[in-house]
Amino acid sequence: NDDRMLTIIGSCGSILNGMGRLVWGIALDKFSFRTISIIFNLTFLAAAISVSFVSNNYIYLLYVSIIYFCYGGTYSVYAAQTIKIMGK
């Protein structure tokens, strides 16, 4: 049962990682880099700190999904900002 749940958690996390790249990229088009960076870093930090206190599998799934969602944002947001700063 735990192996099945861990597989579900990993799969959902991977899907949300891909979705996070899209969502954070779209958000970067509408808001500034600083605003987006603060939002997803604080969300990631809060989820990463509090995930160790979770005892329910479904709440753990939620926290891991949030972490993966924010982690996907780093690849779209920081890459776009690097191009903006350094040029093409």
Side-chain angles (χ1 to χ4, degrees):
N1 191 15
D2 286 338
D3 289 339
R4 184 172 186 259
M5 189 62 186
L6 287 174
T7 303
I8 292 170
I9 290 171
S11 299
C12 289
S14 296
I15 291 168
L16 283 169
N17 186 338
M19 288 175 55
R21 294 173 192 227
L22 293 172
V23 170
W24 290 114
I26 292 169
L28 184 62
D29 290 338
K30 297 182 186 220
F31 302 103
S32 70
F33 168 75
R34 182 180 174 140
T35 303
I36 297 301
S37 181
I38 288 170
I39 291 170
F40 84 73
N41 282 320
L42 287 179
T43 305
F44 179 81
L45 180 66
I49 289 173
S50 60
V51 72
S52 62
F53 301 110
V54 173
S55 60
N56 185 343
N57 284 341
Y58 296 104
I59 303 298
Y60 183 73
L61 168 68
L62 176 69
Y63 275 89
V64 170
S65 297
I66 290 170
I67 290 169
Y68 271 82
F69 185 77
C70 291
Y71 184 66
T74 59
Y75 292 111
S76 60
V77 172
Y78 287 130
Q81 189 64 19
T82 301
I83 291 172
K84 186 185 281 187
I85 291 172
M86 301 294 184
K88 292 184 179 181

